[in-house]
Structure formats: structure tokens, C-alpha cells
């Protein structure tokens, strides 16, 4: 399976997906013009990885700001992880800046909604 990369823009995050090491990194702002079009290849890659590779995976999310469409997309992505949580170990690290209360609160809400996932809130140093 190939690795996958999307460069960050002013409106969309950098996305690095490393199939070899099982590490996914999503970093930056997330309010692309068409959220679902932007994230479709990301979701497709994750579905393929979870169904076919079946190796542990770590998701590092350092989202500074996101809109409601991105929130819905993240919710769908976490739903996908819940479906596969019994097949492989999935760790989600929600990384936030201590000055960004909004990012922390969003991480706490996702953590509550997906309490069966290995979901960690990590303060960026």
C-alpha cells in the first residue's frame, strides 16, 4: 500500500499517511471549500488500510481550527475507527496548544462521543 501526502494550504491541513509505520498525521486548519471532496482520498486510504493492512495505526491530529463540515467529517472518520477497533489497535492523539481552548474543548467532545476508542488529549509543548 502506498503512502499518501497532501500539502497544507491556508484552508486545509497537511495530511501524511504512512502505511509502513501505521502513522497518520493531520495538521493545520481545516475549512476547505469542499470538505468532503478534500477528505475523500483520506477516508478511502483509511478504509483500505483498515480492511486490508490490519496493522496497528496511530492518528495524530493537530487541528488548529475547523469548520462544521470538517467536524462532521472527523465524526465520520472516528465512526470508521470504531467499526475496526476490535480488529486492530487504533490510537487517536488529539494534539492541542494550551492557548487554544477551542481545540481542547473539541478534543474533549470527540473523546466523550467516542469513549470506546483509545483517544488521547495531548498538550503541545
Amino acid at each position: 500500500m502506498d503512502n499518501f501526502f497532501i500539502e497544507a494550504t491556508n484552508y486545509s491541513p497537511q495530511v501524511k499517511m504512512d502505511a509502513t509505520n501505521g502513522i497518520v498525521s493531520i495538521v493545520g486548519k481545516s475549512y476547505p471549500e469542499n470538505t468532503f471532496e478534500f477528505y475523500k482520498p483520506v477516508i478511502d486510504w483509511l478504509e483500505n488500510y483498515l480492511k486490508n493492512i490490519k496493522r496497528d495505526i496511530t492518528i495524530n491530529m493537530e487541528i488548529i481550527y475547523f469548520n462544521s463540515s470538517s467536524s462532521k467529517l472527523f465524526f465520520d472518520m472516528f465512526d470508521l475507527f470504531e467499526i475496526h477497533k476490535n480488529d486492530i489497535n487504533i490510537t487517536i492523539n488529539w494534539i492541542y496548544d494550551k492557548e487554544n481552548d477551542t481545540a481542547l474543548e473539541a478534543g474533549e467532545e470527540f473523546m466523550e462521543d467516542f469513549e470506546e476508542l483509545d483517544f488521547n488529549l495531548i498538550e503541545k509543548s
Side-chain angles (χ1 to χ4, degrees):
M1 179 171 187
D2 291 334
N3 294 335
F4 183 82
F5 180 79
I6 301 173
E7 188 65 53
T9 70
N10 290 336
Y11 310 103
S12 61
Q14 178 188 72
V15 179
K16 288 185 195 177
M17 306 172 100
D18 182 339
T20 305
N21 296 309
I23 298 174
V24 173
S25 176
I26 303 174
V27 179
K29 298 176 185 173
S30 183
Y31 55 103
E33 187 173 323
N34 186 329
T35 303
F36 295 98
E37 184 178 306
F38 174 82
Y39 281 103
K40 182 174 180 357
V42 174
I43 296 299
D44 289 347
W45 190 96
L46 286 168
E47 286 178 338
N48 186 29
Y49 184 95
L50 295 169
K51 288 180 186 175
N52 298 312
I53 303 300
K54 296 188 179 180
R55 245 182 292 152
D56 294 355
I57 188 168
T58 299
I59 315 296
N60 295 314
M61 297 185 69
E62 188 178 335
I63 303 298
I64 299 163
Y65 169 82
F66 59 94
N67 62 8
S68 58
S69 296
S70 294
S71 178
K72 167 74 171 111
L73 190 287
F74 297 153
F75 198 92
D76 292 346
M77 185 170 58
F78 297 147
D79 274 341
L80 177 65
F81 298 148
E82 271 197 330
I83 291 168
H84 293 278
K85 73 180 183 316
N86 294 326
D87 300 328
I88 61 173
N89 291 323
I90 301 169
T91 302
I92 301 165
N93 295 318
W94 186 270
I95 303 162
Y96 65 94
D97 188 293
K98 67 180 178 181
E99 303 295 321
N100 189 342
D101 293 337
T102 304
L104 171 59
E105 290 168 8
E108 289 172 340
E109 288 178 19
F110 284 127
M111 189 175 187
E112 287 175 18
D113 289 338
F114 296 95
E115 60 188 31
E116 293 187 22
L117 292 176
D118 182 7
F119 203 110
N120 304 300
L121 298 173
I122 299 173
E123 184 177 289
K124 186 177 169 182
S125 50

Coordinates of all heavy atoms in Angstrom, one line a residue, residues 57-123:
I57 N -2.5 1.3 14.1 CA -2.4 2.6 13.5 C -2.5 3.7 14.5 O -3.3 3.6 15.5 CB -3.4 2.8 12.3 CG1 -3.2 4.1 11.5 CG2 -4.9 2.7 12.9 CD1 -4.0 4.1 10.2
T58 N -1.8 4.8 14.4 CA -1.8 5.9 15.2 C -2.2 7.1 14.4 O -1.6 7.4 13.4 CB -0.5 6.2 15.9 OG1 -0.1 5.1 16.7 CG2 -0.5 7.4 16.8
I59 N -3.2 7.8 14.9 CA -3.7 9.0 14.2 C -3.3 10.2 15.1 O -3.8 10.4 16.2 CB -5.3 9.0 14.0 CG1 -5.8 7.6 13.5 CG2 -5.7 10.2 13.2 CD1 -5.3 7.2 12.2
N60 N -2.5 11.1 14.5 CA -2.1 12.3 15.2 C -2.8 13.5 14.6 O -2.5 13.8 13.4 CB -0.6 12.5 15.2 CG 0.2 11.4 15.9 OD1 -0.2 11.1 17.0 ND2 1.2 10.9 15.2
M61 N -3.7 14.1 15.3 CA -4.5 15.2 14.8 C -4.1 16.5 15.6 O -4.4 16.6 16.8 CB -6.0 14.9 14.9 CG -6.4 13.7 14.1 SD -8.2 13.5 14.0 CE -8.7 14.9 13.1
E62 N -3.6 17.4 14.9 CA -3.3 18.7 15.5 C -4.0 19.8 14.7 O -3.4 20.5 13.8 CB -1.7 19.0 15.4 CG -1.3 20.2 16.2 CD 0.2 20.4 16.2 OE1 0.9 19.4 16.1 OE2 0.6 21.5 16.4
I63 N -5.3 19.9 14.9 CA -6.1 20.8 14.2 C -6.3 22.1 14.9 O -6.8 22.1 16.1 CB -7.5 20.2 13.9 CG1 -7.4 18.8 13.2 CG2 -8.4 21.1 13.1 CD1 -6.7 18.9 11.8
I64 N -5.8 23.2 14.3 CA -5.9 24.5 15.0 C -7.3 25.1 15.0 O -7.7 25.7 15.9 CB -4.9 25.4 14.3 CG1 -3.5 24.9 14.3 CG2 -4.9 26.8 14.8 CD1 -2.5 25.5 13.3
Y65 N -7.9 24.9 13.8 CA -9.3 25.5 13.6 C -10.0 24.6 12.6 O -9.3 24.1 11.7 CB -9.2 26.9 13.1 CG -10.6 27.4 12.7 CD1 -11.5 27.9 13.6 CD2 -11.0 27.3 11.3 CE1 -12.8 28.3 13.2 CE2 -12.2 27.7 10.9 CZ -13.1 28.2 11.9 OH -14.4 28.6 11.5
F66 N -11.3 24.3 12.8 CA -12.0 23.6 11.8 C -13.5 24.1 11.8 O -14.0 24.6 12.8 CB -11.9 22.1 12.0 CG -12.5 21.6 13.3 CD1 -13.8 21.2 13.4 CD2 -11.6 21.5 14.4 CE1 -14.2 20.7 14.7 CE2 -12.1 21.1 15.6 CZ -13.4 20.6 15.8
N67 N -14.1 24.0 10.6 CA -15.5 24.4 10.4 C -16.4 23.2 10.7 O -16.0 22.1 11.0 CB -15.7 25.0 9.1 CG -15.4 24.0 7.9 OD1 -15.2 22.8 8.1 ND2 -15.5 24.5 6.7
S68 N -17.7 23.5 10.6 CA -18.7 22.4 11.0 C -18.7 21.3 10.0 O -18.9 20.1 10.3 CB -20.1 23.0 11.0 OG -20.5 23.7 9.8
S69 N -18.4 21.5 8.7 CA -18.2 20.4 7.7 C -17.1 19.5 8.1 O -17.2 18.3 8.0 CB -18.0 21.0 6.3 OG -19.1 21.7 5.9
S70 N -16.0 20.1 8.5 CA -14.8 19.3 8.9 C -15.2 18.5 10.2 O -14.8 17.3 10.3 CB -13.6 20.2 9.2 OG -13.2 20.8 8.0
S71 N -15.9 19.1 11.1 CA -16.3 18.4 12.3 C -17.1 17.2 12.0 O -16.9 16.1 12.5 CB -17.1 19.4 13.2 OG -17.6 18.7 14.4
K72 N -18.1 17.3 11.0 CA -18.9 16.2 10.6 C -18.0 15.1 10.0 O -18.1 13.9 10.2 CB -19.9 16.7 9.6 CG -20.6 15.6 8.8 CD -21.6 14.8 9.6 CE -22.5 13.9 8.8 NZ -22.2 12.5 9.0
L73 N -17.0 15.5 9.2 CA -16.1 14.6 8.6 C -15.3 13.9 9.6 O -15.1 12.6 9.5 CB -15.2 15.3 7.6 CG -14.3 14.5 6.6 CD1 -13.2 13.9 7.3 CD2 -15.1 13.7 5.7
F74 N -14.8 14.6 10.6 CA -14.0 13.9 11.7 C -14.9 12.9 12.4 O -14.4 11.8 12.8 CB -13.4 14.9 12.6 CG -12.4 15.9 12.0 CD1 -12.3 17.2 12.6 CD2 -11.7 15.6 10.9 CE1 -11.4 18.1 12.1 CE2 -10.8 16.5 10.4 CZ -10.6 17.7 10.9
F75 N -16.1 13.3 12.6 CA -17.0 12.4 13.3 C -17.2 11.1 12.5 O -17.1 10.0 13.0 CB -18.4 13.1 13.5 CG -19.3 12.4 14.5 CD1 -19.3 12.9 15.8 CD2 -20.2 11.4 14.1 CE1 -20.1 12.3 16.8 CE2 -21.0 10.8 15.1 CZ -20.9 11.3 16.4
D76 N -17.3 11.2 11.2 CA -17.4 10.1 10.3 C -16.2 9.2 10.3 O -16.2 8.0 10.3 CB -17.7 10.5 8.9 CG -19.1 11.1 8.7 OD1 -20.0 10.9 9.6 OD2 -19.4 11.7 7.6
M77 N -15.0 9.9 10.4 CA -13.7 9.2 10.4 C -13.6 8.4 11.7 O -13.2 7.2 11.7 CB -12.6 10.2 10.3 CG -11.2 9.6 10.2 SD -9.9 10.7 9.8 CE -10.0 11.9 11.1
F78 N -14.0 9.0 12.8 CA -14.0 8.3 14.1 C -15.0 7.1 14.1 O -14.7 6.1 14.8 CB -14.2 9.3 15.3 CG -13.2 10.3 15.4 CD1 -13.5 11.6 15.9 CD2 -11.8 10.1 15.1 CE1 -12.6 12.6 16.0 CE2 -10.9 11.1 15.2 CZ -11.2 12.4 15.7
D79 N -16.1 7.3 13.5 CA -17.1 6.2 13.3 C -16.4 5.0 12.6 O -16.5 3.9 13.0 CB -18.3 6.6 12.5 CG -19.4 7.2 13.4 OD1 -19.4 7.0 14.6 OD2 -20.2 7.9 12.8
L80 N -15.6 5.3 11.6 CA -14.9 4.3 10.8 C -13.9 3.6 11.8 O -13.8 2.3 11.7 CB -14.1 4.9 9.7 CG -13.3 4.0 8.8 CD1 -14.1 3.0 8.1 CD2 -12.5 4.9 7.8
F81 N -13.2 4.3 12.6 CA -12.3 3.7 13.6 C -13.0 2.8 14.5 O -12.5 1.7 14.9 CB -11.5 4.8 14.3 CG -10.6 5.6 13.4 CD1 -10.4 6.9 13.8 CD2 -10.1 5.1 12.3 CE1 -9.5 7.7 13.0 CE2 -9.2 5.9 11.5 CZ -9.0 7.2 11.8
E82 N -14.2 3.2 15.0 CA -15.0 2.4 15.9 C -15.3 1.0 15.3 O -15.3 0.0 16.0 CB -16.3 3.1 16.4 CG -16.0 4.0 17.6 CD -17.3 4.3 18.3 OE1 -18.4 4.5 17.6 OE2 -17.2 4.5 19.5
I83 N -15.7 1.1 14.0 CA -16.0 -0.2 13.3 C -14.9 -1.2 13.4 O -15.1 -2.4 13.5 CB -16.4 0.1 11.8 CG1 -17.7 0.9 11.8 CG2 -16.5 -1.2 11.0 CD1 -18.0 1.5 10.4
H84 N -13.6 -0.7 13.3 CA -12.4 -1.6 13.2 C -11.7 -1.7 14.5 O -10.6 -2.4 14.6 CB -11.5 -1.0 12.1 CG -12.1 -1.2 10.8 ND1 -12.0 -2.3 10.0 CD2 -12.8 -0.2 10.0 CE1 -12.7 -2.1 8.9 NE2 -13.1 -0.9 8.8
K85 N -12.2 -1.1 15.6 CA -11.4 -1.1 16.9 C -11.2 -2.5 17.4 O -10.2 -2.7 18.2 CB -12.1 -0.2 17.9 CG -13.4 -0.8 18.5 CD -14.0 0.1 19.5 CE -15.2 -0.4 20.2 NZ -16.2 -1.0 19.5
N86 N -12.0 -3.5 17.1 CA -11.8 -4.8 17.6 C -10.8 -5.6 16.7 O -10.3 -6.7 17.2 CB -13.1 -5.6 17.7 CG -14.0 -5.0 18.8 OD1 -13.5 -4.5 19.8 ND2 -15.3 -5.0 18.5
D87 N -10.5 -5.1 15.5 CA -9.6 -5.8 14.6 C -8.1 -5.4 14.8 O -7.2 -6.3 14.7 CB -10.0 -5.6 13.2 CG -11.4 -6.0 12.9 OD1 -11.9 -7.0 13.5 OD2 -12.1 -5.4 12.0
I88 N -7.9 -4.1 15.1 CA -6.6 -3.6 15.2 C -6.6 -2.5 16.3 O -7.6 -2.0 16.7 CB -6.0 -3.0 13.9 CG1 -6.9 -1.9 13.5 CG2 -5.9 -4.1 12.9 CD1 -6.3 -1.1 12.3
N89 N -5.4 -2.2 16.8 CA -5.2 -1.1 17.8 C -5.2 0.2 17.1 O -4.3 0.4 16.2 CB -4.0 -1.3 18.6 CG -4.1 -2.5 19.6 OD1 -5.1 -2.8 20.1 ND2 -2.9 -3.2 19.7
I90 N -6.1 1.1 17.4 CA -6.2 2.4 16.8 C -6.0 3.4 17.9 O -6.8 3.4 18.9 CB -7.6 2.6 16.1 CG1 -7.7 1.5 15.0 CG2 -7.6 4.0 15.5 CD1 -9.1 1.5 14.4
T91 N -5.0 4.2 17.8 CA -4.8 5.3 18.8 C -5.0 6.6 18.2 O -4.4 6.9 17.1 CB -3.3 5.2 19.4 OG1 -3.1 3.9 19.9 CG2 -3.1 6.2 20.4
I92 N -5.8 7.4 18.8 CA -6.0 8.8 18.3 C -5.4 9.8 19.3 O -5.7 9.8 20.5 CB -7.5 9.1 18.1 CG1 -8.1 8.1 17.2 CG2 -7.7 10.5 17.7 CD1 -9.6 8.1 17.2
N93 N -4.5 10.6 18.8 CA -3.8 11.6 19.6 C -4.3 13.0 19.1 O -4.0 13.4 18.0 CB -2.3 11.6 19.5 CG -1.8 10.3 20.1 OD1 -2.2 9.8 21.1 ND2 -0.8 9.7 19.4
W94 N -5.2 13.6 19.9 CA -5.7 15.0 19.6 C -4.7 15.9 20.3 O -4.7 16.1 21.5 CB -7.1 15.1 20.2 CG -7.7 16.4 19.8 CD1 -7.7 17.6 20.5 CD2 -8.5 16.7 18.6 NE1 -8.4 18.6 19.8 CE2 -8.9 18.0 18.6 CE3 -8.9 15.9 17.5 CZ2 -9.7 18.6 17.7 CZ3 -9.7 16.5 16.5 CH2 -10.0 17.8 16.6
I95 N -3.9 16.6 19.5 CA -2.8 17.5 20.0 C -3.3 18.9 19.9 O -3.8 19.4 18.8 CB -1.5 17.3 19.1 CG1 -1.1 15.8 19.2 CG2 -0.4 18.1 19.6 CD1 -0.2 15.3 18.1
Y96 N -3.2 19.6 21.0 CA -3.7 21.0 21.0 C -2.7 21.9 21.7 O -1.9 21.5 22.5 CB -5.0 21.0 21.8 CG -4.9 20.7 23.2 CD1 -4.7 21.7 24.2 CD2 -4.9 19.3 23.6 CE1 -4.6 21.3 25.5 CE2 -4.8 19.0 25.0 CZ -4.6 20.0 25.9 OH -4.5 19.7 27.2
D97 N -2.7 23.2 21.4 CA -1.9 24.2 22.0 C -2.6 24.6 23.3 O -3.8 24.8 23.3 CB -1.7 25.4 21.1 CG -0.7 26.4 21.6 OD1 -1.0 27.0 22.6 OD2 0.3 26.5 21.0
K98 N -1.9 24.8 24.4 CA -2.5 25.1 25.6 C -3.2 26.5 25.6 O -4.1 26.8 26.4 CB -1.5 25.1 26.8 CG -0.4 26.2 26.7 CD 0.5 26.1 27.9 CE 1.6 27.1 27.8 NZ 2.5 27.0 28.9
E99 N -2.9 27.3 24.6 CA -3.5 28.6 24.4 C -4.8 28.5 23.6 O -5.6 29.5 23.5 CB -2.6 29.6 23.7 CG -1.3 29.8 24.4 CD -1.4 30.5 25.8 OE1 -2.3 31.4 25.9 OE2 -0.7 30.1 26.7
N100 N -5.1 27.3 23.0 CA -6.3 27.2 22.2 C -7.3 26.4 22.9 O -7.4 25.1 22.7 CB -5.8 26.5 20.9 CG -6.9 26.5 19.8 OD1 -8.1 26.6 20.1 ND2 -6.5 26.2 18.6
D101 N -8.1 27.1 23.7 CA -9.2 26.4 24.4 C -10.2 25.7 23.5 O -10.8 24.7 23.9 CB -9.9 27.4 25.3 CG -9.1 27.9 26.4 OD1 -8.1 27.3 26.8 OD2 -9.4 29.0 26.9
T102 N -10.5 26.3 22.3 CA -11.4 25.7 21.4 C -11.0 24.4 20.9 O -11.8 23.4 20.9 CB -11.6 26.7 20.2 OG1 -12.0 28.0 20.7 CG2 -12.7 26.2 19.3
A103 N -9.7 24.2 20.6 CA -9.2 22.9 20.2 C -9.3 21.9 21.3 O -9.6 20.7 21.0 CB -7.8 23.1 19.7
L104 N -9.0 22.3 22.5 CA -9.1 21.4 23.6 C -10.5 20.9 23.8 O -10.8 19.7 24.0 CB -8.5 22.0 24.9 CG -8.8 21.3 26.2 CD1 -8.1 19.9 26.2 CD2 -8.3 22.1 27.4
E105 N -11.4 21.9 23.8 CA -12.9 21.5 24.0 C -13.4 20.6 22.9 O -14.1 19.7 23.2 CB -13.7 22.8 24.1 CG -13.5 23.6 25.3 CD -14.0 25.0 25.3 OE1 -14.8 25.3 24.3 OE2 -13.8 25.8 26.2
A106 N -12.9 20.9 21.7 CA -13.3 20.0 20.6 C -12.8 18.6 20.8 O -13.5 17.6 20.6 CB -12.8 20.5 19.3
G107 N -11.5 18.5 21.2 CA -11.0 17.1 21.5 C -11.7 16.4 22.6 O -12.0 15.2 22.6
E108 N -12.1 17.2 23.7 CA -12.8 16.6 24.8 C -14.2 16.1 24.3 O -14.6 15.0 24.7 CB -13.0 17.7 25.9 CG -11.7 18.0 26.6 CD -11.9 19.1 27.6 OE1 -12.8 20.0 27.4 OE2 -11.0 19.2 28.5
E109 N -14.8 16.8 23.4 CA -16.2 16.4 22.9 C -16.0 15.1 22.1 O -16.8 14.2 22.2 CB -16.8 17.5 22.1 CG -17.3 18.7 23.0 CD -17.9 19.8 22.2 OE1 -18.3 19.6 21.0 OE2 -18.0 20.9 22.8
F110 N -15.0 15.1 21.2 CA -14.8 13.9 20.4 C -14.5 12.7 21.3 O -15.0 11.6 21.1 CB -13.7 14.1 19.4 CG -14.1 14.9 18.2 CD1 -13.3 16.0 17.8 CD2 -15.2 14.6 17.4 CE1 -13.6 16.7 16.7 CE2 -15.5 15.3 16.3 CZ -14.8 16.4 15.9
M111 N -13.7 12.9 22.3 CA -13.3 11.9 23.3 C -14.5 11.3 24.0 O -14.7 10.1 24.2 CB -12.3 12.5 24.3 CG -11.7 11.5 25.2 SD -10.4 12.3 26.2 CE -9.6 11.0 27.0
E112 N -15.5 12.2 24.4 CA -16.7 11.8 25.0 C -17.6 11.0 24.1 O -18.2 10.0 24.5 CB -17.5 13.0 25.6 CG -16.8 13.6 26.8 CD -17.6 14.9 27.2 OE1 -18.7 15.1 26.8 OE2 -17.0 15.7 28.0
D113 N -17.7 11.5 22.8 CA -18.5 10.8 21.8 C -18.0 9.4 21.4 O -18.7 8.5 21.1 CB -18.7 11.7 20.6 CG -19.5 12.9 20.8 OD1 -20.3 12.9 21.8 OD2 -19.4 13.9 20.1
F114 N -16.7 9.3 21.5 CA -16.0 8.0 21.1 C -15.2 7.4 22.2 O -14.1 7.1 22.1 CB -15.2 8.3 19.9 CG -16.0 8.7 18.7 CD1 -16.1 10.1 18.4 CD2 -16.6 7.8 17.9 CE1 -16.9 10.5 17.3 CE2 -17.4 8.2 16.8 CZ -17.5 9.6 16.5
E115 N -15.9 7.2 23.4 CA -15.2 6.8 24.6 C -14.6 5.4 24.4 O -13.8 5.0 25.2 CB -16.1 6.9 25.8 CG -17.4 6.1 25.7 CD -18.3 6.4 26.8 OE1 -18.4 7.5 27.3 OE2 -19.1 5.4 27.2
E116 N -15.1 4.6 23.5 CA -14.6 3.2 23.3 C -13.3 3.2 22.5 O -12.6 2.2 22.4 CB -15.6 2.3 22.6 CG -16.8 2.1 23.5 CD -17.8 1.1 23.0 OE1 -17.4 0.3 22.1 OE2 -19.0 1.1 23.4
L117 N -12.9 4.3 21.9 CA -11.6 4.4 21.2 C -10.5 4.8 22.2 O -10.7 5.5 23.2 CB -11.7 5.5 20.1 CG -12.7 5.1 18.9 CD1 -12.7 6.3 17.9 CD2 -12.2 3.8 18.2
D118 N -9.3 4.5 21.8 CA -8.1 4.9 22.6 C -7.8 6.3 22.1 O -7.1 6.6 21.1 CB -6.9 4.0 22.3 CG -5.7 4.3 23.0 OD1 -5.7 5.2 23.9 OD2 -4.6 3.7 22.8
F119 N -8.4 7.3 22.8 CA -8.4 8.7 22.4 C -7.6 9.5 23.5 O -8.0 9.5 24.6 CB -9.8 9.2 22.3 CG -10.0 10.4 21.5 CD1 -10.7 10.3 20.3 CD2 -9.5 11.7 21.8 CE1 -10.9 11.4 19.5 CE2 -9.7 12.8 21.1 CZ -10.4 12.7 19.9
N120 N -6.5 10.1 23.1 CA -5.7 10.9 24.0 C -5.7 12.4 23.7 O -5.5 12.8 22.5 CB -4.2 10.4 23.9 CG -4.1 8.9 24.1 OD1 -4.5 8.4 25.2 ND2 -3.7 8.2 23.1
L121 N -5.8 13.2 24.7 CA -5.6 14.6 24.6 C -4.2 15.0 25.0 O -3.8 14.6 26.1 CB -6.6 15.4 25.5 CG -8.1 15.1 25.2 CD1 -9.0 15.8 26.3 CD2 -8.5 15.7 23.8
I122 N -3.5 15.6 24.1 CA -2.1 15.8 24.3 C -1.8 17.3 24.2 O -2.0 17.9 23.1 CB -1.2 15.0 23.4 CG1 -1.4 13.5 23.6 CG2 0.3 15.4 23.6 CD1 -0.7 12.6 22.6
E123 N -1.3 18.0 25.2 CA -1.0 19.4 25.2 C 0.3 19.5 24.5 O 1.3 18.9 24.9 CB -0.9 20.0 26.6 CG -0.7 21.5 26.6 CD -0.7 22.0 28.0 OE1 -1.8 22.1 28.6 OE2 0.4 22.4 28.5

